[in-house]
Amino acid sequence: MKIEKLIGSIGGEFEGHEIDALLNNSRSRVDHALKRVRRPDAAVGIVKSPLGDLLVAMTGRGIVLNHYLLGGDDLAATIAKLRFELDLVDDRRTIKEVGEEIRRYIGGEAAALRRNIDLTLAVSPFQKKVLHKLQEVPRGTVVSYQALGAAAGAPKGARAVGNAMHNNPVPIYVPCHRVIASDGRIGGYGGGAARKLQLLRSEGFALADAALRLPDNVVWGHKGTKIYCRANCRTAARVDRSRILFFAGAREARQAGMRPCKICQPA
């Protein structure tokens, strides 16, 4: 409903009443209308990347949308949905750098992703909290849905975490590709399994094109003890899996502040 029409209907309904009564009775509808009027401006455009075409939107706070274009009516539907939250301006020059950063990142430049992130499009406070926690998972590391849920205060919320990942508005920059099943299965990805594998390979994981699980040469580390182990270490049977991170190798584990297990003696 346009703000003019909304204000007109309120005025007719409360004609003759005091101003304070008008405000009290119309507050919720006026607040909703003002929120729509004050939508943030966002530059929007399509960028080319090694992962395919991306629809990117950027506000003054950072990247607010980084969406894999999956063909068909996806572009039109996504733009229509965005218009409910943002005032869009076609500005390909502003968003061009996002494609260049992703290209360098896939090529192995670890610090290439430098844009700030705007989580305005997170659908709930829980999703926003999960996405913030996900940003703490470093390159060369993956975490299970269960462990990410535990970090966000919901140790039994693996399914809710999965939904939060599927609806992540800023993939790659908010690395939902680093979330896997607790048994080592790669799991799903909003951009498709091939893109998830491509991203993980660029971060050091030795994965074949059709891989369904993490390779045997990964090591896992415990966030509490700060010890990392081989995948087949006997201590794995009694460890709390909600505190586990999986690393592409020993180097990544050490970079994260872990020390090697004295039992399995990983490299």
Side-chain angles (χ1 to χ4, degrees):
M1 180 182 294
K2 292 183 178 180
I3 186 66
E4 296 89 349
K5 184 176 180 181
L6 178 59
I7 292 174
S9 66
I10 293 171
E13 182 180 354
F14 292 96
E15 186 174 356
H17 286 230
E18 298 293 332
I19 294 297
D20 57 349
L22 172 63
L23 292 175
N24 287 335
N25 284 281
S26 64
R27 186 181 303 278
S28 63
R29 285 190 290 175
V30 170
D31 285 348
H32 177 71
L34 289 176
K35 182 179 179 181
R36 293 285 301 276
V37 170
R38 295 170 183 165
R39 291 174 301 182
D41 291 335
V44 65
I46 297 173
V47 300
K48 304 288 184 181
S49 84
L51 297 167
D53 290 349
L54 296 158
L55 177 65
V56 176
M58 292 186 65
T59 67
R61 297 172 60 184
I63 301 177
V64 72
L65 183 80
N66 192 36
H67 175 75
Y68 293 112
L69 288 172
L70 303 178
D73 297 328
D74 189 27
L75 175 59
T78 305
I79 289 289
K81 186 176 180 181
L82 270 181
R83 288 188 183 280
F84 284 99
E85 305 292 338
L86 305 166
D87 282 331
L88 304 179
V89 178
D90 186 358
D91 186 352
R92 301 174 192 180
R93 180 178 299 179
T94 296
I95 57 87
K96 180 181 178 181
E97 292 183 5
V98 173
E100 294 173 353
E101 287 187 357
I102 293 172
R103 188 175 299 107
R104 296 199 307 271
Y105 188 77
I106 294 294
E109 186 179 330
L113 303 181
R114 297 173 182 171
R115 301 298 98 182
N116 292 329
I117 296 163
D118 180 355
L119 292 179
T120 293
L121 298 181
V123 298
S124 69
F126 176 73
Q127 184 188 32
K128 185 173 289 188
K129 185 174 183 179
V130 168
L131 296 179
H132 278 305
K133 288 296 181 181
L134 178 57
Q135 290 175 265
E136 298 174 6
V137 178
R139 177 186 171 94
T141 309
V142 293
V143 65
S144 71
Y145 295 97
Q146 179 188 12
L148 185 57
K156 296 182 179 180
R159 184 180 297 274
V161 170
N163 290 334
M165 297 300 97
H166 182 73
N167 295 312
N168 174 14
V170 196
I172 308 172
Y173 284 82
V174 180
C176 50
H177 61 276
R178 295 180 191 156
V179 187
I180 64 168
S182 57
D183 62 0
R185 287 179 293 114
I186 298 300
Y189 186 59
R195 289 187 175 98
K196 186 171 188 175
L197 291 173
Q198 186 176 356
L199 281 161
L200 290 175
R201 283 198 300 268
S202 75
E203 295 179 353
F205 288 91
L207 293 162
D209 287 345
L212 299 176
R213 304 178 64 86
L214 290 178
D216 293 336
N217 65 339
V218 300
V219 299
W220 57 267
H222 193 278
K223 292 194 289 186
T225 64
K226 298 295 183 180
I227 293 174
Y228 71 90
C229 301
R230 298 178 187 273
N232 60 356
C233 182
R234 68 172 185 263
T235 62
R238 58 179 183 271
V239 74
D240 179 3
R241 300 194 74 82
S242 70
R243 305 294 305 280
I244 292 298
L245 295 170
F246 297 91
F247 299 95
R251 181 185 63 179
E252 287 80 7
R254 292 193 298 269
Q255 288 175 344
M258 299 277 173
R259 63 184 189 277
C261 172
K262 294 181 178 179
I263 297 173
C264 67
Q265 298 182 348

